[in-house]
Amino acid sequence: QVQLVESGGGLVQAGGSLRLSCAASGRTFNEYAIDWFRQAPGKEREFVAAISWSGGNTLYADSVKGRFTISRDNAENTVYLQMNSLKPEDTAVYYCAAGYDSLSSMTGFSGAMDYWGKGTLVTVSS
């Protein structure tokens, strides 16, 4: 069992930066890939970024590539999402999710994820 808690969301102006954290409980955290998803008001949840259990592989949605960076610290049971050059269209609730299957969890498919956090709100003003 893995429990996930997101933090770091808030209000930021366009062009600014935020760093989200996903803190996990459970001794097997380093066996899970961790993905970030987001859901904007009135829209479906979409994939943002993924990182493998070792941190050696990452995947990004085209919309955030070059602006967002995902990283993890297994000693601290935490995954980070550094978000730079934020745009108003990045406004959403951001969720982290843990997936045990190392292949499907790195595809951006939300159905492959086993555990979810409750989300943190990011608002980017223009």
Side-chain angles (χ1 to χ4, degrees), residues 57-79:
N57 293 311
T58 58
L59 178 70
Y60 296 93
D62 288 343
S63 59
V64 306
K65 202 172 294 183
R67 300 189 297 124
F68 290 11
T69 302
I70 190 170
S71 61
R72 69 188 294 161
D73 183 342
N74 284 341
E76 296 293 328
N77 279 12
T78 303
V79 169

Side-chain angles (χ1 to χ4, degrees), residues 85-105:
S85 302
L86 283 162
K87 305 174 181 179
E89 51 263 44
D90 294 318
T91 295
V93 177
Y94 283 71
Y95 301 90
C96 64
Y100 189 76
D101 186 282
S102 59
L103 292 178
S104 62
S105 300

Side-chain angles (χ1 to χ4, degrees), residues 27-34 52-54 72 74 99-102 105:
R27 292 178 294 176
T28 59
F29 170 74
N30 61 3
E31 297 179 1
Y32 288 81
I34 301 294
S52 62
W53 65 270
S54 68
R72 69 188 294 161
N74 284 341
Y100 189 76
D101 186 282
S102 59
S105 300

Side-chain angles (χ1 to χ4, degrees), residues 32-51:
Y32 288 81
I34 301 294
D35 291 18
W36 284 96
F37 293 83
R38 66 186 181 186
Q39 187 165 19
K43 295 187 177 181
E44 294 187 353
R45 185 164 49 191
E46 65 174 356
F47 169 75
V48 176
I51 189 165

